[in-house]
Coordinates of all heavy atoms in Angstrom, one line a residue:
G5 N 75.4 146.8 47.2 CA 74.4 146.0 47.1 C 73.2 146.1 48.0 O 72.1 145.9 47.7
V6 N 73.6 146.5 49.2 CA 72.6 146.7 50.3 C 71.7 147.9 49.8 O 70.5 147.9 49.8 CB 73.2 146.9 51.6 CG1 72.2 147.5 52.6 CG2 73.9 145.7 52.1
Y7 N 72.3 149.0 49.4 CA 71.6 150.1 49.0 C 70.7 149.8 47.8 O 69.6 150.4 47.6 CB 72.5 151.3 48.8 CG 73.1 151.8 49.9 CD1 74.6 152.0 50.0 CD2 72.6 152.2 51.2 CE1 75.2 152.4 51.2 CE2 73.2 152.6 52.2 CZ 74.5 152.7 52.2 OH 75.2 153.1 53.5
W8 N 71.2 149.0 46.9 CA 70.4 148.7 45.7 C 69.2 147.8 46.1 O 68.1 148.1 45.6 CB 71.3 147.9 44.7 CG 70.5 147.4 43.5 CD1 70.3 146.1 43.2 CD2 69.8 148.2 42.5 NE1 69.5 145.9 42.1 CE2 69.2 147.2 41.7 CE3 69.6 149.4 42.3 CZ2 68.4 147.6 40.6 CZ3 68.9 149.9 41.2 CH2 68.2 148.9 40.4
Q9 N 69.3 147.0 47.1 CA 68.3 146.3 47.6 C 67.1 147.2 48.2 O 66.0 146.9 48.2 CB 68.6 145.2 48.6 CG 69.4 144.0 48.0 CD 68.7 143.3 47.0 OE1 67.5 143.0 47.1 NE2 69.3 142.9 45.8
L10 N 67.6 148.2 48.9 CA 66.8 149.2 49.5 C 65.9 150.0 48.4 O 64.8 150.3 48.6 CB 67.5 150.1 50.4 CG 68.1 149.6 51.7 CD1 69.1 150.5 52.3 CD2 66.8 149.3 52.6
V11 N 66.7 150.2 47.3 CA 65.9 150.9 46.2 C 64.9 150.0 45.7 O 63.7 150.5 45.4 CB 66.9 151.2 45.1 CG1 66.2 151.7 43.7 CG2 68.0 152.3 45.5
R12 N 65.2 148.7 45.6 CA 64.2 147.8 45.0 C 63.0 147.6 46.0 O 61.8 147.5 45.6 CB 64.8 146.4 44.7 CG 65.8 146.5 43.6 CD 66.5 145.0 43.5 NE 65.5 144.1 43.1 CZ 65.8 142.7 43.0 NH1 67.0 142.3 43.2 NH2 64.8 142.1 42.7
A13 N 63.4 147.7 47.4 CA 62.4 147.6 48.4 C 61.4 148.7 48.3 O 60.2 148.7 48.5 CB 62.9 147.4 49.6
G14 N 62.0 150.0 48.1 CA 61.2 151.1 48.0 C 60.2 151.1 46.9 O 59.1 151.6 46.9
F15 N 60.8 150.6 45.7 CA 59.9 150.4 44.5 C 58.8 149.6 44.8 O 57.6 149.9 44.4 CB 60.7 150.0 43.3 CG 60.2 149.9 42.0 CD1 60.3 151.0 41.2 CD2 59.4 148.8 41.5 CE1 59.7 151.0 39.9 CE2 58.8 148.8 40.3 CZ 58.9 149.9 39.5
R16 N 59.0 148.3 45.4 CA 57.9 147.4 45.7 C 56.9 147.9 46.6 O 55.8 147.7 46.6 CB 58.6 146.1 46.2 CG 59.3 145.3 45.1 CD 59.5 143.9 45.6 NE 60.3 143.9 46.9 CZ 61.6 143.8 47.0 NH1 62.3 143.7 45.9 NH2 62.3 143.8 48.1
R17 N 57.5 148.6 47.7 CA 56.7 149.3 48.7 C 55.6 150.2 48.1 O 54.4 150.2 48.3 CB 57.5 150.0 49.7 CG 56.7 150.8 50.7 CD 57.6 151.5 51.6 NE 56.9 152.5 52.5 CZ 57.5 153.3 53.5 NH1 58.9 153.2 53.5 NH2 56.7 154.0 54.1
Q18 N 56.1 151.1 47.2 CA 55.1 152.2 46.5 C 54.3 151.5 45.6 O 53.0 152.0 45.5 CB 56.1 153.1 45.7 CG 55.2 154.3 45.4 CD 55.0 155.3 46.6 OE1 55.5 154.9 47.7 NE2 54.2 156.4 46.3
S19 N 54.6 150.2 45.0 CA 53.7 149.7 44.1 C 52.4 149.1 44.7 O 51.4 148.6 44.1 CB 54.4 148.5 43.4 OG 54.7 147.4 44.2
H20 N 52.5 148.9 46.1 CA 51.3 148.5 46.8 C 50.2 149.5 47.0 O 49.1 149.1 47.3 CB 51.8 147.9 48.3 CG 52.8 146.7 48.1 ND1 53.5 146.5 49.1 CD2 52.9 145.8 47.2 CE1 54.3 145.4 48.8 NE2 53.7 144.9 47.7
Y21 N 50.6 150.8 46.7 CA 49.6 151.8 46.9 C 48.9 152.3 45.7 O 49.0 153.4 45.2 CB 50.3 153.1 47.7 CG 50.8 152.7 49.0 CD1 52.2 152.4 49.2 CD2 50.1 152.5 50.1 CE1 52.7 152.0 50.4 CE2 50.5 152.3 51.4 CZ 51.9 152.1 51.5 OH 52.4 151.7 52.7
R22 N 48.2 151.3 45.0 CA 47.7 151.6 43.7 C 46.6 152.6 43.8 O 46.5 153.5 42.9 CB 47.1 150.3 43.0 CG 48.3 149.3 42.7 CD 47.8 148.1 41.9 NE 48.8 147.2 41.7 CZ 49.2 146.2 42.4 NH1 48.7 146.1 43.7 NH2 50.3 145.5 42.1
L23 N 45.7 152.5 44.8 CA 44.6 153.6 44.9 C 45.1 155.0 45.1 O 44.7 155.9 44.6 CB 43.6 153.1 45.9 CG 42.7 151.9 45.6 CD1 41.7 151.6 46.8 CD2 41.9 152.3 44.4
A24 N 46.2 155.0 45.9 CA 46.8 156.2 46.3 C 47.5 156.9 45.0 O 47.4 158.1 44.8 CB 47.8 156.1 47.3
M25 N 47.9 156.0 44.2 CA 48.7 156.5 42.9 C 47.6 156.9 42.0 O 47.6 158.0 41.3 CB 49.4 155.4 42.2 CG 50.6 154.9 43.0 SD 51.9 156.2 43.0 CE 51.7 156.8 44.7
L26 N 46.4 156.3 41.9 CA 45.3 156.7 41.1 C 44.7 158.1 41.5 O 44.5 159.1 40.8 CB 44.1 155.8 41.1 CG 42.9 156.1 40.3 CD1 43.3 156.4 38.8 CD2 41.9 155.1 40.4
A27 N 44.6 158.2 42.9 CA 44.1 159.5 43.4 C 45.1 160.7 43.2 O 44.7 161.8 42.8 CB 43.9 159.4 44.9
G28 N 46.4 160.4 43.2 CA 47.4 161.3 42.9 C 47.3 161.7 41.5 O 47.6 162.9 41.1
L29 N 47.1 160.8 40.5 CA 47.0 161.0 39.1 C 45.9 162.1 38.8 O 46.0 162.9 38.1 CB 46.9 159.7 38.4 CG 46.6 159.9 36.9 CD1 47.7 160.7 36.2 CD2 46.4 158.6 36.2

């Protein structure tokens, strides 16, 4: 459960970098 929460936290963390994702695309 702890590791699953860390997976979710990483997913949310990356979702904050929308401009970086656009630049990467």
Side-chain angles (χ1 to χ4, degrees):
V6 170
Y7 294 126
W8 174 244
Q9 290 301 319
L10 287 171
V11 172
R12 295 178 60 186
F15 189 93
R16 290 193 301 270
R17 173 184 174 183
Q18 194 71 4
S19 69
H20 295 155
Y21 299 101
R22 293 184 178 89
L23 287 179
M25 293 293 102
L26 178 60
L29 172 60

